Amino acid sequence: MNNQLLTKLKNGDVKSLARLLTIVENNLAFADEYLKSLKIKNTPVIGITGPPGAGKSTLVNALLIELAQKYKIAILAIDPTSPFNLGSLLGDRIRMVSQFNNPNVYIRSIATRGSLGGLSVKTIEMVDVLKAADFDYIFIETVGVGQSEVEVAGLADISIVVLVPEAGDDIQSIKSGLMEIADIFVVNKSDREGAQTFANHLKKMVHQQTYNIPVICTVAHQNKGLEDLVKEIKQFKIKKNNRKPYLLMEKAWRLIQNEKMKSIKKEKLQQEIAEASLELNFNFYQFIEKFKNS
Ligand SMILES: Nc1nc2c(ncn2[C@@H]2O[C@H](COP(=O)(O)OP(=O)(O)OP(=O)(O)O)[C@@H](O)[C@H]2O)c(=O)[nH]1
Ligand SMILES: [Mg+2]
């Protein structure tokens, strides 16, 4: 293990950061030791989730224009890959070109394998590497497909849910799961017709809940409506997150589960099960027995 790498990480050396992220992402030599030696800070983690094409990347880019003059910011863009075809579903989703060369901004994209849009253990670990570097804010962008919103909430101190006023969209169709995880709702593409009505309905719905969640209208590609969002993000830093113990438990659970399941490789399991299931009278329960205590 190279201790210098950790010192350099703490001091903001970008090359060391990239190296450590790669070590952790690919589970290279000493990955575990590096993780155990990290001095993890309380850097605020801001999760941005929402349907494909809602404008999440554009919004992050617009936020960077506001924040990156003064603060150092890391962005982790999570590309969901389908478990059925190993290519990325959406291609490289980093289109935040205008901030790409800003020395205050570090952008990294990772592909989650197997879990559609979900957060892998690698993501959790990579965020911790970022927290040991010298950033003021860490943004995580994920596409909202089912479980992933909830998983991002497990990692983020603030969860921003980005919605778009679709024509004829029924506000009631917003999944209750989104209600539970959102700390801030953003109605992006507010230049579209019906945006105000959509936002008003959303506000009404949100205010029926026990605590107030801000609903902020933005036009991300024109950098409009960002002031309120920046204000909320800055304010949130000092608020207490009541979900923290639950979220930490979930995180511990995942990492322990990952460790315990290490000897079982999904590809191999699939191969074996494919063969075994061809046998006459294949019994699934007998089949899995041998994996239980391996
Ligand atoms: N009209 C309008 N278009 C917008 C707005 N914000 C973003 N867009 C456009 O919407 C498209 C998608 O924006 P992205 O930022 O890539 O959306 P995304 O949510 O990151 O997309 P994925 O990462 O692929 O899920 C782009 O063509 C943007 O220029 C907005 O406020 N109004
Ligand atoms: Mg994007």
Side-chain angles (χ1 to χ4, degrees), residues 32 55 61 75 78 111-112 115 119 123 136 151-153 166 190 196 272:
D32 241 25
N61 189 48
I75 297 139
I78 301 173
T112 50
S115 59
L119 289 183
T123 312
D136 298 299
E151 292 177 328
V152 175
E166 297 294 351
S190 286
Q196 205 49 52
E272 283 190 34

Side-chain angles (χ1 to χ4, degrees), residues 50-59 90 93 95 141 143 188-192 218-221:
K56 299 176 294 294
S57 301
T58 315
L59 193 72
L90 300 157
R93 288 165 43 247
R95 300 186 201 102
E141 182 194 331
V143 179
N188 190 42
K189 308 201 183 180
S190 286
D191 49 329
R192 284 191 181 173
T218 59
V219 184
H221 71 318

Side-chain angles (χ1 to χ4, degrees), residues 39-136:
K39 291 207 167 44
I40 301 165
K41 289 180 284 191
N42 260 337
T43 318
V45 177
I46 299 145
I48 303 210
T49 189
K56 299 176 294 294
S57 301
T58 315
L59 193 72
V60 171
N61 189 48
L63 282 169
L64 289 178
I65 296 168
E66 298 273 327
L67 291 169
Q69 294 166 21
K70 215 166 135 195
Y71 301 106
K72 285 198 76 174
I73 295 176
I75 297 139
L76 202 55
I78 301 173
D79 266 330
T81 50
S82 155
F84 301 112
N85 92 55
L86 289 175
S88 173
L89 276 183
L90 300 157
D92 189 357
R93 288 165 43 247
I94 300 179
R95 300 186 201 102
M96 294 169 279
V97 190
S98 82
Q99 294 297 312
F100 216 82
N101 295 318
N102 186 331
N104 274 348
V105 177
Y106 181 81
I107 303 172
R108 177 114 176 185
S109 143
I110 61 168
T112 50
R113 281 170 217 99
S115 59
L116 192 66
L119 289 183
S120 62
V121 169
K122 294 283 154 257
T123 312
I124 298 173
E125 293 172 347
M126 285 168 84
V127 168
D128 279 334
V129 172
L130 291 171
K131 281 181 160 185
D134 68 337
F135 295 107
D136 298 299

